[in-house]
Structures are given as C-alpha cells and as structure tokens.
Amino acid sequence: MGSLIFDVIETGDELGQNISDMKKSLVIASYVQKSDDHEKALQHIVDLITDPYGLTLYSKLIEILNDSPADDDTLNVLANVLRNISNDDDLKQHFSNKRVVLAMIAKLSPQALVVLQRTHSWPIMEMPSVGIAVGGVLSGDNAEYIAQGLLKYGIFNDISAMSLGLAIKELEVSGLCVTGTGMYNGKNAVQEMLTDSGKEVYKLIQ
C-alpha cells in the first residue's frame, strides 16, 4: 500500500510539473507571437530572468500562472503582464510598483482579470432609480445592475450574468473600481470606473 501511495504522489507531481511547463510555454509563445520581432522578444525574456529584479517579478508571475486555469483569456492576460515586465528598461526603479501590482493581480480571480482588462469597453449607463450618489460614487451594492448593463451592451456575452456580477463585486471590494456617477446628455448616469490602484493593474495586464 505504501508503495502504491508513493507512486500516486510521484505521478501527481510529474503531471503537475508537466502542466506547469505547458502553461509557461503557452504564455511565452503568446507573448512572442504578439511581438513584431520574435528574436528580440525572446531576448527580453532572457534579460528579464538574468536580472535579479526581473527574476523576482518573473517568479511571481509564474506563481500566478500555476494557480490559474490554462484558458485563452487568462493566458492572454498573463502574456501581457510578461510583455510589460520584459519591456521595462528600468526594472530596478519600477520594481516596488510592479511587485505590488503583481500581488494585487495574484488575489484576483481569472474572471475578474478578464473583466478588468476590458475596461475600455465599459459603457455609460442610466442611473438606477433607487441609486444614491455620495461624492460622485453610487452607494450600495450595484454589481448586479452593472453586470446587466454590460450584458445589454453585448460586451461580455461569453460570461454569465452571475459570474460577471461576482467579478465586478470582487473588483470593487478589492478597491480597483467604483461605480461613478455624473450627468450624460442631461440625464443622471453611471459608469464603472477604475481607481488609481485599478489603473495600475490595468496598465500591467493591457
């Protein structure tokens, strides 16, 4: 029995490593394919992992990758992160900022990352009849209302209303976005907006 258990554990470890290696390959391939100069892109990765600051950031990215599903949307987001880190000409200067942003990304679900990545598509919507604005921000839990509005505009047809609402709520609880209020075409309107922290995350995943 002991030998069988050991074999199962060993097989699980090998499969886990294979999956991890596959994810790394897919992310690097996605990053390289987006580049106009594939050789230069690969050299950027070499420079990244041979730099002490770069290696730390790369290692954190791999941690996030290992905890994420290998779907196209997630791999695309993380490939963008790899590109933005690799293309930074002064990692020492920007190290602290990028480390903090990576820590914020690590706490987000893949769904929330995908929603955040599409910030440029978030529409201006009519303010709900029961909404109360405080300091330019709609108070209360409005995630479901915002989710329904996003679906109405056809931005997230590949995500269910429930999943979209949970992702928006997650982003708001994480302090990355708020439901802003204002006037649009003479009417009270709302729009999901990034906070300063949200803008930093967006820059790294875009």
Side-chain angles (χ1 to χ4, degrees), residues 36-37 67 80-81 88 102 109 124 150 155 160 171 174 202:
D36 294 330
D37 188 332
D67 290 334
N80 288 347
V81 174
D88 193 320
L102 280 172
S109 66
I124 297 173
L150 294 176
I155 299 169
S160 70
L171 292 172
S174 299
Y202 178 77

Side-chain angles (χ1 to χ4, degrees), residues 33 52 138 174:
Q33 287 170 5
L138 193 63
S174 299

Side-chain angles (χ1 to χ4, degrees), residues 7-26:
D7 288 343
V8 169
I9 293 173
E10 188 175 50
T11 300
D13 289 342
E14 290 177 358
L15 288 174
Q17 186 59 51
N18 289 340
I19 292 173
S20 176
D21 291 342
M22 178 196 70
K23 288 180 179 179
K24 291 177 190 176
S25 298
L26 289 173

Side-chain angles (χ1 to χ4, degrees), residues 36-79:
D36 294 330
D37 188 332
H38 293 179
E39 186 175 339
K40 185 176 180 180
L42 288 171
Q43 185 58 50
H44 279 166
I45 296 177
V46 173
D47 293 342
L48 177 71
I49 61 179
T50 53
D51 178 280
Y53 296 97
L55 180 59
T56 300
L57 297 175
Y58 177 79
S59 297
K60 183 62 179 178
L61 174 62
I62 296 306
E63 286 182 26
I64 298 171
L65 178 62
N66 287 336
D67 290 334
S68 303
D71 62 85
D72 290 342
D73 286 332
T74 302
L75 293 174
N76 176 61
V77 168
L78 296 180

Side-chain angles (χ1 to χ4, degrees), residues 39 179 187:
E39 186 175 339
T179 307
K187 297 181 180 180

Side-chain angles (χ1 to χ4, degrees), residues 101-129:
V101 175
L102 280 172
M104 288 191 283
I105 291 175
K107 294 177 182 178
L108 295 175
S109 66
Q111 202 79 284
L113 281 173
V114 171
V115 172
L116 181 58
Q117 190 187 36
R118 300 182 192 176
T119 299
H120 60 280
S121 300
W122 291 354
I124 297 173
M125 297 179 284
E126 182 180 348
M127 185 171 178
S129 57

Side-chain angles (χ1 to χ4, degrees), residues 115-116 118-128 138 142-157 164 168 172 177-185 188-194:
V115 172
L116 181 58
R118 300 182 192 176
T119 299
H120 60 280
S121 300
W122 291 354
I124 297 173
M125 297 179 284
E126 182 180 348
M127 185 171 178
L138 193 63
N142 305 287
E144 184 176 346
Y145 178 82
I146 297 299
Q148 291 295 341
L150 294 176
L151 289 173
K152 179 181 177 182
Y153 282 87
I155 299 169
F156 292 98
N157 292 332
L164 185 54
I168 292 169
E172 291 185 342
C177 67
V178 296
T179 307
T181 63
M183 298 295 294
Y184 183 72
N185 289 337
N188 290 322
V190 296
Q191 183 181 34
E192 205 65 13
M193 302 172 62
L194 292 177

